[in-house]
């Protein structure tokens, strides 16, 4: 591994650690309990993970799994859960104080900065935000750093083309995940329903695990065909398109499927009808249909599928056939490719 790749890997883990520490710092400040500093343990494991990864992998990253992202999520996600629970308790207290029968999205939250006493030294960050703004900012930075971290980390066995595809899909995934958690948690029927909050946070956390799987969005390159074969033939998915099929299934099971079920539940059971809810519900339905259609296309070749005439190509390269045969073979390949 080159020096640049090593520095980029180190920078990615440093960004993970900084955001994790700030999140834990905020959780400890809100709950006034030092025990929450135990959440920093996964962050402390990042240097050891980096040493093991660089020592035992050829390209600086594991092929299908990213342990640094898992450690990062293990530190930050529980902290964001605790911040959401604190917002829930604040809404309940504000409702009781105002004498309302139900919670309101107009709840006034406290505004605070970030300060702590470390070894007798007062450390503070000159940023003053409301409690809900802190939770929103930390969640937004979480998704942004997941994308940036994947870009900085060594690409391992990925090609540049695959990495660029992966990053583009990550951006779309992050936008949908952020919208799901923010819009769902702001609904009037949700803000004071602890069970619904837990379910939404659970689905949100489940969807974030996609970022630990490199195969989530990477399609294995498919061989361009050349020799015509008649009829539609379905090949085994595990043989010819294993990576892409697993990628599509993972997206359905970890994001679009659960999100669609939750949105339909809110629409049907709680009559939560608004433009954003309807739009993203339809979007999830269309994405699932397109992914199923894509899986069918990947597994099954069309009626005029063509395969390369490998023997003719090798013979042309080795000069084992005459010029007329070469011209004939090249003409055949050209017509088949077109």
């Amino acid at each position: 591994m080159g020096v640049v790749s090593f520095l980029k890997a180190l920078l990615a883990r440093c960004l993970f650690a900084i955001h994790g520490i700030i999140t834990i710092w905020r959780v400890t400040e809100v709950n006034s309990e030092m025990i929450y500093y135990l959440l920093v343990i996964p962050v402390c494991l990042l240097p050891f993970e980096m040493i093991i990864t660089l020592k035992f992998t050829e390209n600086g990253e594991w092929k299908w799994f990213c342990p640094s992202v898992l450690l990062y999520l293990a530190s930050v996600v529980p902290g964001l859960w605790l911040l959401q629970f604190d917002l829930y308790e604040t809404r309940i207290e504000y409702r009781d104080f105002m004498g309302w029968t139900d919670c309101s999205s107009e709840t006034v939250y406290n505004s605070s900065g970030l300060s702590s006493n470390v070894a007798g030294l007062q450390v503070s960050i000159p940023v003053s935000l409301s409690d809900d703004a802190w939770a929103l900012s930390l969640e937004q930075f979480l998704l942004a750093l997941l994308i940036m971290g994947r870009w900085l980390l060594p690409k391992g066995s990925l090609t540049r083309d695959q990495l660029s595809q992966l990053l583009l899909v990550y951006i779309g995934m992050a936008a949908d995940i952020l919208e799901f958690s923010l819009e769902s948690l702001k609904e009037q029927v949700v803000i004071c329903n602890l069970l619904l909050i837990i379910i939404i946070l659970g689905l949100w956390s489940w969807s974030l695990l996609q970022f630990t799987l490199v195969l989530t969005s990477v399609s294995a390159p498919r061989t361009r065909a050349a020799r015509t074969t008649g009829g539609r033939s379905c090949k085994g998915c595990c043989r010819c398109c294993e990576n892409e099929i697993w990628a599509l299934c993972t997206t359905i099971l970890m994001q679009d499927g659960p999100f669609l079920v939750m949105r339909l539940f809110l629409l049907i059971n709680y009559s939560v009808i608004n433009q954003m809810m309807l739009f993203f519900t339809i979007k999830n339905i269309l994405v699932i249909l397109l992914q199923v259609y894509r899986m069918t296309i990947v597994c099954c070749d069309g009626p005029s599928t063509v395969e390369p005439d490998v023997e003719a190509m090798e013979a042309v390269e080795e000069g084992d056939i005459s010029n007329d045969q070469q011209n004939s073979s090249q003409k055949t390949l050209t017509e088949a490719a077109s």
Side-chain angles (χ1 to χ4, degrees), residues 5-163:
S5 298
F6 172 79
L7 292 177
K8 289 169 63 177
L10 179 61
L11 176 61
R13 289 171 172 85
C14 287
L15 292 175
F16 291 163
I18 291 172
H19 183 253
I21 292 172
I22 292 176
T23 303
I24 297 164
W25 197 355
R26 176 62 189 168
V27 171
T28 306
E29 184 73 13
V30 167
N31 293 278
S32 301
E33 293 287 343
M34 298 297 292
I35 192 173
Y36 292 114
Y37 275 122
L38 292 176
L39 293 173
V40 81
I41 292 177
V43 172
C44 295
L45 295 177
L46 281 174
F48 301 100
E49 178 273 332
M50 180 177 176
I51 294 173
I52 294 173
T53 298
L54 297 181
K55 182 176 178 61
F56 293 100
T57 60
E58 183 178 355
N59 298 316
E61 272 299 322
W62 304 99
K63 186 174 182 180
W64 305 114
F65 181 69
C66 191
S68 59
V69 173
L70 180 63
L71 291 174
Y72 173 49
L73 292 176
S75 178
V76 174
V77 170
L80 293 176
W81 275 62
L82 293 171
L83 291 179
Q84 289 296 334
F85 290 156
D86 177 71
L87 294 178
Y88 164 77
E89 294 175 357
T90 301
R91 289 191 290 266
I92 296 296
E93 292 175 359
Y94 194 80
R95 178 199 65 182
D96 296 340
F97 175 76
M98 298 297 293
W100 296 337
T101 58
D102 202 355
C103 293
S104 173
S105 57
E106 298 178 356
T107 301
V108 178
Y109 298 99
N110 297 325
S111 296
S112 60
L114 199 57
S115 61
S116 182
N117 193 337
V118 181
L121 184 65
Q122 187 71 19
V123 181
S124 63
I125 296 178
V127 177
S128 181
L129 298 173
S130 61
D131 292 344
D132 59 333
W134 269 113
L136 173 60
S137 300
L138 291 172
E139 183 177 345
Q140 289 174 330
F141 273 106
L142 166 65
L143 292 166
L145 288 178
L146 286 173
I147 298 172
M148 188 179 300
R150 180 61 264 179
W151 195 358
L152 291 174
L153 290 170
K155 45 182 204 308
S157 60
L158 298 177
T159 64
R160 293 181 184 274
D161 178 61
Q162 289 175 324
L163 179 60

Side-chain angles (χ1 to χ4, degrees), residues 3 81 131-132 155 242 244-245 263 273 295 320:
V3 177
W81 275 62
D131 292 344
D132 59 333
K155 45 182 204 308
E242 176 182 1
E244 188 168 0
I245 291 297
R263 284 170 172 142
I273 301 176
M295 284 190 285
D320 292 338

Side-chain angles (χ1 to χ4, degrees), residues 102-329:
D102 202 355
C103 293
S104 173
S105 57
E106 298 178 356
T107 301
V108 178
Y109 298 99
N110 297 325
S111 296
S112 60
L114 199 57
S115 61
S116 182
N117 193 337
V118 181
L121 184 65
Q122 187 71 19
V123 181
S124 63
I125 296 178
V127 177
S128 181
L129 298 173
S130 61
D131 292 344
D132 59 333
W134 269 113
L136 173 60
S137 300
L138 291 172
E139 183 177 345
Q140 289 174 330
F141 273 106
L142 166 65
L143 292 166
L145 288 178
L146 286 173
I147 298 172
M148 188 179 300
R150 180 61 264 179
W151 195 358
L152 291 174
L153 290 170
K155 45 182 204 308
S157 60
L158 298 177
T159 64
R160 293 181 184 274
D161 178 61
Q162 289 175 324
L163 179 60
S164 64
Q165 293 178 27
L166 184 65
L167 293 173
L168 289 172
V169 177
Y170 271 8
I171 293 175
M173 287 166 45
D176 193 21
I177 292 171
L178 184 62
E179 188 282 333
F180 173 77
S181 61
L182 294 183
E183 294 300 325
S184 299
L185 290 174
K186 287 182 180 179
E187 295 296 338
Q188 188 67 32
V189 298
V190 175
I191 56 178
C192 277
N193 191 322
L194 183 59
L195 178 60
L196 288 180
I197 292 175
I198 292 175
I199 294 174
I200 291 172
L201 289 176
L203 295 178
W204 170 76
S205 304
W206 173 246
S207 66
L208 289 176
L209 291 177
Q210 294 177 97
F211 292 95
T212 66
L213 305 175
V214 179
L215 58 81
T216 302
S217 313
V218 179
S219 301
R222 303 182 68 196
T223 304
R224 189 176 296 274
R227 182 189 302 163
T228 303
T229 58
R232 178 178 296 274
S233 60
C234 290
K235 300 180 179 180
C237 295
C238 294
R239 289 168 43 195
C240 66
C241 47
E242 176 182 1
N243 193 29
E244 188 168 0
I245 291 297
W246 279 111
L248 294 170
C249 291
T250 301
T251 306
I252 293 175
L253 294 176
M254 299 187 72
Q255 182 170 332
D256 291 293
F259 287 7
L260 175 61
V261 172
M262 188 63 201
R263 284 170 172 142
L264 289 175
F265 177 73
L266 292 177
L267 280 170
I268 298 172
N269 197 57
Y270 290 96
S271 300
V272 178
I273 301 176
N274 56 61
Q275 290 182 341
M276 295 298 292
M277 183 65 70
L278 291 174
F279 172 79
F280 280 97
T281 301
I282 295 174
K283 177 257 183 189
N284 287 139
I285 294 174
L286 291 176
V287 169
I288 291 175
L289 291 176
L290 289 173
Q291 287 169 334
V292 173
Y293 176 71
R294 174 60 182 168
M295 284 190 285
T296 305
I297 296 299
V298 170
C299 286
C300 298
D301 297 328
S304 60
T305 303
V306 289
E307 299 176 353
D309 193 344
V310 179
E311 295 179 357
M313 293 176 63
E314 291 178 350
V316 169
E317 292 177 357
E318 295 175 0
D320 292 338
I321 57 178
S322 64
N323 292 333
D324 293 339
Q325 291 175 320
Q326 291 181 19
N327 294 334
S328 177
S329 298

